[in-house]
Amino acid sequence: MVGFFSLVTGYPGPSGFGSASTAEQVTEGLDASKLTAIITGGASGIGLETARVLALRGAHVIIAARNMEAAYNAKVLILENNPKARIDTIQLDLSSLKSVRAFAEEFLSKDLPLNILINNAGIMFCPFQLSKDGIEQQFATNHLGHFLLTNLLLEKMKSTANSTGIEGRIVNLSSIAHHHTYGRGINFEQLNDPTAYSDKKAYGQSKLANILHAKELSRRLKEEGANITVNSVHPGLIMTNLMKHSLFVMNLIKVFTYLCWKNVPQGAATTCFVATHPSLKGVTAKYFQDCNEEKPNIMVGDEKLAKDLWQFSEKLVKSAQ
């Protein structure tokens, strides 16, 4: 009940921020001029707002997007209001592991540092279909593409953290929908079975995978002693292009839950907070909502499930080579 009260009133939590906080507010006073950030899906919605605000604070932002025209337009829009912004664009189709590898190769060829990786892009509630690699589309785009991307960029993040002394941060955008998934959490055996498919549960499954990925990666990085944190966030309910497959349903839900919805600047706040705020130095393997730590689904604490997902994801990546 307290959480609901904070959500609808915007009353700040322990961090000093809440559901009404905006991305600009949570980064106020931040000097990000020494930071380089990659934002997947940075051409629209909360990804674009995240890119805009990090660039406003001085960061060098790389927008990773499938639609390069949209990415170019996003860059122009940011530069119109901030001529000094450092913005680059690179094509990335997360549903194609070949495209993920091509993106990583192009980025690494630029010999840039990498301090922040924001795995923001996603799709939601789409009809059953397989990716270019023969993997259920929501799982492929929301989880597996980001899993491979993160792995391909991890050594660059480690070397950047080592050479600069600046903590690296990885942020996975999950969703409160991770609570609504298949019974076992991840439906390993029937991932690509159209008869077992539920567009809502498949989305929840991919969002649970985002948190499990962050937890397992965080565990591995801790064992190595790497100066990189990995956290997950629920940005909130925001009407963006993510909901194009369910506009009627979501608009109907919004009529009855309008007090719980955020605008785009508010929707990008938790991402920006977790990616940059100094109060979160050393904080890892946590799940955030409304700029405050929140308890996720109990399945997130299942270390075996997280390890199984990691191994399953590695096998899928290898099989697509």
Side-chain angles (χ1 to χ4, degrees), residues 1-12 19 259 290:
M1 195 69 179
V2 174
F4 178 76
F5 174 79
S6 298
L7 174 63
V8 299
T9 62
Y11 193 80
S19 62
L259 289 175
D290 300 331

Side-chain angles (χ1 to χ4, degrees), residues 193-214:
D193 184 351
T195 65
Y197 183 74
S198 158
D199 59 350
K200 310 298 186 297
K201 289 183 179 179
Y203 179 69
Q205 171 180 250
S206 70
K207 295 290 101 181
L208 174 62
N210 292 148
I211 308 178
L212 291 170
H213 170 220

Side-chain angles (χ1 to χ4, degrees), residues 66 92-100 121 123 129-146 320:
R66 181 180 57 82
L92 172 64
D93 179 355
L94 285 158
S95 70
S96 164
L97 297 179
K98 181 180 179 181
S99 175
V100 173
I123 56 174
Q129 55 186 306
L130 297 179
S131 71
K132 296 177 177 68
D133 302 294
I135 300 160
E136 189 276 308
Q137 188 81 341
Q138 294 193 80
F139 188 87
T141 304
N142 297 348
H143 165 65
L144 196 64
H146 283 128

Side-chain angles (χ1 to χ4, degrees), residues 74-305:
K75 179 178 179 178
V76 169
L77 182 66
I78 293 171
L79 288 170
E80 280 180 356
N81 296 291
N82 179 14
K84 294 182 179 179
R86 293 181 292 157
I87 303 286
D88 283 314
T89 61
I90 304 177
Q91 188 165 36
L92 172 64
D93 179 355
L94 285 158
S95 70
S96 164
L97 297 179
K98 181 180 179 181
S99 175
V100 173
R101 291 188 177 96
F103 171 90
E105 184 178 350
E106 182 173 348
F107 173 76
L108 293 173
S109 72
K110 296 178 181 295
D111 199 27
L112 292 168
L114 182 58
N115 308 93
I116 299 169
L117 173 60
I118 299 176
N119 292 320
N120 165 84
I123 56 174
M124 179 181 180
F125 299 169
C126 59
F128 179 82
Q129 55 186 306
L130 297 179
S131 71
K132 296 177 177 68
D133 302 294
I135 300 160
E136 189 276 308
Q137 188 81 341
Q138 294 193 80
F139 188 87
T141 304
N142 297 348
H143 165 65
L144 196 64
H146 283 128
F147 174 83
L148 176 59
L149 178 69
T150 303
N151 282 352
L152 292 174
L153 298 176
L154 205 52
E155 289 306 316
K156 171 58 73 173
M157 292 198 72
K158 290 177 187 176
S159 65
T160 301
N162 286 338
S163 63
T164 63
I166 300 172
E167 178 183 83
R169 295 191 184 184
I170 299 170
V171 182
N172 282 358
L173 265 77
S174 180
S175 167
I176 197 170
H178 81 274
H179 287 281
H180 181 63
T181 181
Y182 298 106
R184 292 181 55 205
I186 307 295
N187 201 4
F188 295 111
E189 290 82 8
Q190 294 179 295
L191 180 69
N192 296 335
D193 184 351
T195 65
Y197 183 74
S198 158
D199 59 350
K200 310 298 186 297
K201 289 183 179 179
Y203 179 69
Q205 171 180 250
S206 70
K207 295 290 101 181
L208 174 62
N210 292 148
I211 308 178
L212 291 170
H213 170 220
K215 292 274 286 189
E216 177 61 11
L217 178 57
S218 176
R219 184 188 69 80
R220 290 167 177 249
L221 291 170
K222 266 187 172 181
E223 283 187 353
E224 290 181 29
N227 188 22
I228 300 172
T229 63
V230 196
N231 291 292
S232 306
V233 305
H234 166 53
L237 292 171
I238 311 107
M239 191 62 75
T240 67
N241 289 338
L242 181 65
M243 297 177 179
K244 64 183 179 182
H245 292 289
S246 53
L247 279 178
F248 175 76
V249 173
M250 298 312 293
N251 276 311
L252 188 63
I253 291 173
K254 190 174 182 180
V255 170
F256 298 99
T257 60
Y258 67 95
L259 289 175
C260 300
W261 288 69
K262 297 182 179 182
N263 58 38
V264 170
Q266 292 169 338
T270 304
T271 301
C272 289
F273 175 73
V274 174
T276 66
H277 205 275
S279 69
L280 296 185
K281 183 176 174 57
V283 175
T284 193
K286 302 299 183 183
Y287 171 70
F288 291 83
Q289 176 179 325
D290 300 331
C291 301
N292 288 276
E293 188 180 338
E294 186 63 60
K295 286 184 179 180
N297 188 309
I298 192 171
M299 285 187 281
V300 170
D302 186 338
E303 291 186 6
K304 184 179 183 303
L305 181 61

